[in-house]
Amino acid sequence: MSRRWCALSVLTLSLCLNSVVANTQAVSRESLAHAEVLRERAMAGSHALSIVTSLTTEVGPRLAGSEAEARARAWALNTLTQRGFANVRNEPFEMEAWQRHGEGGEILSPYPQTLAVTALGGSVPTEQGGLRAEVALFETLQDLQSAPEGSLSGRIAYVGHAMQRTQDGSSYGYFNKARTAGPSIAASKGAVGYLIRSVGTDSHRFPHTGSLRYEEDIPKIPALALSNPDADQIERIAAKGEVLEVRVWVDSSIVPAAESGNVVAEVVGWESPEEIVVIGAHLDSWDLGTGAIDDGAGVGITMAALELIKEAGLAPRRTIRLVLWGAEEVGLLGASAYRDRHAADLNQHVIGSESDFGGGRVWKVTAASQSEAGDALFAHIARCLAPIGIAPGRSDQPGGGPDMYPLIAAGVPSLRLHQDGRDYFDLHHTADDTVDKLDARSLDQNVAAFAVFAWLVADSDVSFRAESE
Amino acid sequence: MSRRWCALSVLTLSLCLNSVVANTQAVSRESLAHAEVLRERAMAGSHALSIVTSLTTEVGPRLAGSEAEARARAWALNTLTQRGFANVRNEPFEMEAWQRHGEGGEILSPYPQTLAVTALGGSVPTEQGGLRAEVALFETLQDLQSAPEGSLSGRIAYVGHAMQRTQDGSSYGYFNKARTAGPSIAASKGAVGYLIRSVGTDSHRFPHTGSLRYEEDIPKIPALALSNPDADQIERIAAKGEVLEVRVWVDSSIVPAAESGNVVAEVVGWESPEEIVVIGAHLDSWDLGTGAIDDGAGVGITMAALELIKEAGLAPRRTIRLVLWGAEEVGLLGASAYRDRHAADLNQHVIGSESDFGGGRVWKVTAASQSEAGDALFAHIARCLAPIGIAPGRSDQPGGGPDMYPLIAAGVPSLRLHQDGRDYFDLHHTADDTVDKLDARSLDQNVAAFAVFAWLVADSDVSFRAESE
């Protein structure tokens, strides 16, 4: 989205929109009227929560590349076929799949007690009997980075900085480096194991898992997250100046060529079926919870949005494609596979947006339009979403959910429906990510936003790309 | 407490109290002034939270009869001695101690997935490999009781009724019968295992443990609690009419003659040291969490209250005795041992009160006084607690915490400081019972209430017993 109209007041914007409607072909009055009907129908009650409930009950946890993820694909294919969508299919790909078999931790001294820990996704196993070592505590990842080489020899490094609650989730990017990059940094200083305070905002004894990324040529060491209360506990003990000895254990393995897949369904455009508006979510989840907020919610929201358009009997000019990506959690593998499989068609992908930030309400919409027609269409979308509390925002950079990143890098425009994520990292990647945490009305508002956006773009001929393209 | 003055308005009560002060020997003006100083000092900040933090950090979980509970006694003896209390001692007793070694559960069909479960305290182990069986669901314990004999043969019985949140915790008494009495009722119908929805008010994946009571002459079957979200899950699956098969496993054992003990400390009365005002809490906890709300809070509150009196340099006429009971969770074993050891002195126990309902604020005080002098003294206590939000209430029956029951049954009067327990059963008996859940200001208000009550009774010669005694 350009900044051309951002400074306008709501009143001026409204006048401007009327002139846009009169003066451009961005969107017809009939199409706008349909968008308003879709919004009202969604707000009156969608199927989003029942879809998430079905997925999280009938499949439950669905780790990337596992047999459970395969059951999730079967569930999706069955559900999408039953709902009468077009071109329902699985687009399989192969991956290296990490499996968790067991884990645990305890303080051995000075005060013996059990610790609530979980292995980070991808962690190598410990040796039989676990890893006993003294813990070296660092307040921040930067402090760990500053430790002299070899200074952690034989010890377990711990990084303790705590993620704080934000509406836009923006602090996650900073703090999760302790999880992703920390293990290899610790190992490069000689550490034999790695512990972090969970990247999460709750104070419950749920450790938060999530992927780590080992660097090449650095020893791979077992890495685990402590729940926030357990992190507090070891910091309190260390603050007394006592030597802290712990035992941790991880049993894990790798399946070298496991199957995953992206599940696709469509409402086919009547005029330009080859032009694609992508909406979607990821089908895999971490294995600790049942993946209701991450990302059952997104599955429910986007599937219900597509269903709403179909059930309203509306036929858009372009195709709306729902993609339920596989293996997002372990490195956007499904999104990369989708990009590769559809490389020849990516220039026909008009715009995309993923729902992958839980079940909180949408409060802002942004798009990285590079055309005047795109700006005009975005203004219509924004006008139609304002009555349900969504304000247009500035976007200096593209976005639209993690599975959009490979597509964005390949030049596909994106739109982002920003959800309120203040509570998202309370549950994210924990055993407590279950369907009871979702609110139906809040999901319905998300469905309204996706239905309005997808419909208005698909029922237009507007390009968001730079006109020189 | 009699009902004589209960209907009086606050204004009338206040006038009445003034005349009581003038007309009776219940309490001196000086003693009342000291009580107000104690109250204000407590409200300005007590050591309660630092005591709980020390106990839950330096000992952590402390299951009745375990080596960890012995470390808790050592902590208590050391802490009480360091604080300079009189007659600090352990009063040991022997018990049969249950130990938890491992547990788990999973749905085998129709939708395979892990269940968050915990063995109930006292559960027999399953055979190696666990117990596989179909689940028979009952909405209530009454429905289970109504099941025909033999009708559950080879199956696991499940009772699903959900405890609701109350301020006074009163629904616990009803719902925890599913936990305590349920296993033997299920076994009497032929069940080979028993599951309940946790007796708890949260919606997190923390199962709540707690004691069961096997009946004689009925087979002992393994018994576990599901977390509330997991209970929802199996009820959703059962509602589809599917046959639900699960596997559960428990590894547990019994130590026949384990040691436990009650830790005692005193501020000795200058006039009638043999007359005892008892305050206290229980030192043991369940093994899943660190026992901060159950009952580290009570340990912190009552120890801080006694310390406040001592630190103020106040010498009461009677002895104030702090008792930190052992093995409360597994059947009030410490309280029973205390009653037996002190049988000859119980008639010298003026009154008692235990703090064992978490860290919420006190909102009501009641006492089962049977004397006019007791009523008058109670009115003084109530007047002194009113400024910190505590109202006197009616008491049709005695109370004052579970460890008071054996003493009450032996004729010891009791006073109850009723805490707000709306959140107590969110954490009760779970892994999430940790010190981060406690609020210092709220603990301080409890300390004020205990200090005022214990001081005013100990600095009087009033009996709460019926005058004929």
Side-chain angles (χ1 to χ4, degrees):
Chain A
M1 185 184 79
S2 80
R3 298 182 191 178
R4 277 189 290 281
W5 60 269
C6 285
L8 298 176
S9 74
V10 170
L11 179 62
T12 319
L13 176 63
S14 170
L15 294 168
C16 171
L17 290 181
N18 285 331
S19 70
V20 167
V21 173
N23 297 337
T24 78
Q25 299 296 320
V27 59
S28 71
R29 286 188 184 278
E30 193 183 16
S31 194
L32 278 176
H34 288 322
E36 291 190 359
V37 168
L38 290 171
R39 184 189 69 207
E40 295 312 309
R41 287 196 182 178
M43 295 300 284
S46 80
H47 289 149
L49 184 57
S50 71
I51 294 166
V52 191
T53 303
S54 171
L55 171 61
T56 58
T57 303
E58 295 164 34
V59 181
R62 43 198 185 279
L63 188 63
S66 70
E67 175 271 340
E69 198 203 27
R71 281 190 279 115
R73 286 193 295 282
W75 170 90
L77 292 167
N78 183 47
T79 302
L80 293 165
T81 303
Q82 278 189 343
R83 284 168 197 254
F85 294 114
N87 303 325
V88 175
R89 62 190 183 272
N90 175 36
E91 297 180 350
F93 58 90
E94 268 196 0
M95 62 175 287
E96 200 172 73
W98 179 83
Q99 299 182 310
R100 183 196 315 271
H101 308 297
E103 61 198 10
E106 61 183 335
I107 297 173
L108 296 173
S109 72
Y111 308 126
Q113 56 195 282
T114 301
L115 291 169
V117 294
T118 193
L120 298 183
S123 174
V124 294
T126 53
E127 288 182 15
Q128 191 76 17
L131 171 66
R132 284 176 73 125
E134 185 189 328
V135 181
L137 284 86
F138 295 91
E139 287 189 327
T140 68
L141 185 63
Q142 200 174 334
D143 295 345
L144 174 64
Q145 272 166 324
S146 305
E149 294 224 356
S151 63
L152 300 179
S153 187
R155 294 197 286 170
I156 294 173
Y158 164 84
V159 173
H161 53 15
M163 181 184 176
Q164 296 304 307
R165 204 174 286 282
T166 58
Q167 183 171 351
D168 64 2
S170 55
S171 60
Y172 180 62
Y174 178 79
F175 286 103
N176 83 350
K177 288 193 181 66
R179 189 191 78 211
T180 55
S184 288
I185 296 170
S188 73
K189 316 289 184 179
V192 293
Y194 183 66
L195 282 173
I196 52 167
R197 174 186 287 275
S198 280
V199 184
T201 48
D202 61 303
S203 194
H204 292 297
R205 289 188 82 201
F206 294 117
H208 297 236
T209 190
S211 285
L212 57 73
R213 279 198 301 273
Y214 290 125
E215 296 292 326
E216 300 281 329
D217 306 323
I218 294 176
K220 295 178 178 179
I221 59 175
L224 305 91
L226 290 158
S227 86
N228 274 310
D230 292 78
D232 294 343
Q233 187 81 318
I234 72 163
E235 291 181 16
R236 264 193 302 271
I237 293 171
K240 292 170 179 282
E242 309 256 19
V243 171
L244 183 72
E245 196 192 9
V246 303
R247 186 172 75 94
V248 294
W249 58 98
V250 175
D251 181 11
S252 64
S253 61
I254 298 281
V255 180
E259 187 174 320
S260 185
N262 299 318
V263 174
V264 178
E266 293 172 350
V267 166
V268 178
W270 61 265
E271 188 179 74
S272 308
E274 73 289 356
E275 295 185 13
I276 309 291
V277 172
V278 170
I279 60 174
H282 67 84
L283 195 53
D284 66 310
S285 78
W286 283 105
D287 52 335
L288 302 177
T290 62
I293 69 144
D294 188 11
D295 184 22
V299 172
I301 289 164
T302 54
M303 195 187 293
L306 191 63
E307 183 180 30
L308 201 68
I309 293 168
K310 185 180 162 297
E311 292 300 306
L314 295 177
R317 294 161 72 183
R318 294 156 156 170
T319 293
I320 306 175
R321 176 178 292 169
L322 175 74
V323 185
L324 303 179
W325 285 278
E328 185 271 346
E329 294 290 2
V330 297
L332 312 180
L333 303 186
S336 302
Y338 180 92
R339 176 202 56 205
D340 295 345
R341 175 185 285 258
H342 296 277
D345 317 321
L346 290 186
N347 60 349
Q348 303 272 43
H349 281 56
V350 180
I351 200 164
S353 188
E354 182 183 32
S355 174
D356 183 21
F357 199 46
R361 282 179 186 253
V362 179
W363 58 283
K364 186 166 80 168
V365 55
T366 56
S369 163
Q370 296 186 291
S371 72
E372 281 196 32
D375 291 351
L377 178 52
F378 178 79
H380 282 295
I381 295 168
R383 167 62 190 77
C384 195
L385 296 182
I388 55 173
I390 301 172
R394 285 172 54 162
S395 172
D396 294 331
Q397 50 194 14
D403 286 309
M404 286 304 299
Y405 297 161
L407 297 185
I408 289 167
V412 176
S414 61
L415 177 139
R416 185 167 174 199
L417 293 161
H418 301 250
Q419 291 176 269
D420 188 329
R422 279 174 295 183
D423 303 332
Y424 183 65
F425 292 101
D426 287 352
L427 302 165
H428 182 249
H429 297 185
T430 70
D432 207 28
D433 178 3
T434 50
V435 73
D436 49 300
K437 312 307 185 303
L438 291 170
D439 173 66
R441 294 284 80 79
S442 174
L443 294 180
D444 293 341
Q445 189 251 16
N446 279 266
V447 172
F450 267 92
V452 162
F453 140 66
W455 166 257
L456 285 176
V457 180
D459 201 44
S460 81
D461 60 4
V462 168
S463 169
F464 292 87
R465 295 175 195 246
E467 274 133 45
S468 61
E469 281 190 44
Chain B
M1 187 183 78
S2 80
R3 299 182 191 177
R4 277 190 288 282
W5 59 268
C6 285
L8 298 176
S9 73
V10 171
L11 179 62
T12 320
L13 177 63
S14 172
L15 293 169
C16 172
L17 290 181
N18 285 332
S19 70
V20 167
V21 173
N23 297 337
T24 79
Q25 299 296 321
V27 59
S28 71
R29 285 186 185 278
E30 194 183 16
S31 194
L32 278 176
H34 288 322
E36 290 189 2
V37 168
L38 290 170
R39 184 190 67 207
E40 296 312 310
R41 287 196 183 178
M43 295 300 284
S46 80
H47 289 150
L49 185 57
S50 71
I51 294 167
V52 190
T53 304
S54 170
L55 171 62
T56 58
T57 303
E58 294 163 34
V59 181
R62 44 200 184 277
L63 188 63
S66 69
E67 174 272 339
E69 199 203 28
R71 281 191 278 116
R73 285 192 296 281
W75 170 89
L77 292 167
N78 183 48
T79 302
L80 293 165
T81 303
Q82 279 189 342
R83 285 169 197 254
F85 294 114
N87 302 324
V88 175
R89 63 190 183 273
N90 176 36
E91 297 181 349
F93 58 91
E94 267 195 1
M95 62 174 288
E96 200 173 71
W98 179 80
Q99 299 182 310
R100 183 197 314 270
H101 308 297
E103 61 198 11
E106 61 182 334
I107 298 173
L108 297 173
S109 71
Y111 307 126
Q113 56 194 281
T114 301
L115 291 169
V117 294
T118 192
L120 298 183
S123 173
V124 294
T126 54
E127 290 181 12
Q128 189 78 16
L131 171 66
R132 284 176 72 126
E134 185 188 327
V135 181
L137 284 87
F138 296 90
E139 287 189 328
T140 68
L141 186 63
Q142 200 174 335
D143 295 345
L144 174 64
Q145 271 165 324
S146 306
E149 293 222 357
S151 63
L152 299 180
S153 186
R155 294 197 286 171
I156 294 173
Y158 164 84
V159 172
H161 52 16
M163 180 183 177
Q164 296 304 307
R165 202 174 288 281
T166 59
Q167 184 172 351
D168 64 1
S170 54
S171 61
Y172 181 61
Y174 178 79
F175 286 103
N176 83 349
K177 288 195 181 65
R179 189 191 76 210
T180 54
S184 287
I185 295 169
S188 73
K189 315 288 184 179
V192 293
Y194 183 66
L195 282 173
I196 51 167
R197 174 186 288 275
S198 280
V199 184
T201 48
D202 61 302
S203 194
H204 291 297
R205 289 188 83 200
F206 294 116
H208 297 237
T209 190
S211 285
L212 57 72
R213 278 197 302 272
Y214 290 124
E215 296 292 325
E216 300 281 329
D217 306 324
I218 294 176
K220 295 179 178 179
I221 59 174
L224 304 91
L226 290 158
S227 86
N228 273 311
D230 292 79
D232 294 343
Q233 187 82 317
I234 72 164
E235 292 182 16
R236 263 193 302 270
I237 294 171
K240 293 170 179 280
E242 310 255 21
V243 171
L244 183 70
E245 195 192 8
V246 303
R247 186 171 76 93
V248 294
W249 57 98
V250 176
D251 181 10
S252 64
S253 61
I254 299 280
V255 180
E259 185 174 320
S260 186
N262 300 318
V263 174
V264 178
E266 293 172 350
V267 167
V268 178
W270 61 264
E271 187 179 76
S272 308
E274 73 289 356
E275 296 186 13
I276 309 291
V277 172
V278 170
I279 60 173
H282 65 84
L283 195 54
D284 65 310
S285 77
W286 283 103
D287 52 335
L288 303 177
T290 61
I293 70 144
D294 187 12
D295 185 22
V299 172
I301 289 164
T302 55
M303 195 186 295
L306 191 63
E307 184 180 30
L308 201 67
I309 293 167
K310 185 180 161 297
E311 292 300 306
L314 295 177
R317 295 162 71 184
R318 294 156 157 169
T319 293
I320 306 174
R321 177 179 292 169
L322 175 74
V323 186
L324 303 179
W325 286 279
E328 186 271 348
E329 294 290 2
V330 297
L332 312 180
L333 303 187
S336 302
Y338 180 91
R339 175 202 57 206
D340 295 346
R341 175 184 284 259
H342 296 276
D345 316 320
L346 290 185
N347 61 348
Q348 303 271 43
H349 281 57
V350 180
I351 200 164
S353 189
E354 182 184 31
S355 173
D356 183 21
F357 199 46
R361 281 179 186 255
V362 179
W363 58 283
K364 186 168 79 169
V365 56
T366 56
S369 163
Q370 297 185 290
S371 72
E372 281 194 33
D375 292 350
L377 178 52
F378 178 79
H380 283 295
I381 295 168
R383 167 62 188 79
C384 195
L385 297 182
I388 55 172
I390 302 171
R394 286 173 52 161
S395 172
D396 294 333
Q397 50 194 14
D403 286 308
M404 287 303 301
Y405 298 160
L407 297 185
I408 290 168
V412 176
S414 61
L415 177 139
R416 185 167 174 198
L417 294 161
H418 300 251
Q419 292 176 267
D420 188 331
R422 278 173 297 182
D423 303 331
Y424 182 66
F425 292 101
D426 288 351
L427 301 165
H428 182 249
H429 296 186
T430 71
D432 206 28
D433 178 2
T434 49
V435 74
D436 49 300
K437 312 307 186 303
L438 291 171
D439 173 66
R441 294 282 81 79
S442 174
L443 294 180
D444 293 340
Q445 189 251 18
N446 279 267
V447 172
F450 267 92
V452 162
F453 141 66
W455 165 257
L456 285 177
V457 180
D459 201 43
S460 80
D461 60 3
V462 168
S463 168
F464 292 87
R465 296 174 195 247
E467 274 132 45
S468 60
E469 279 191 47

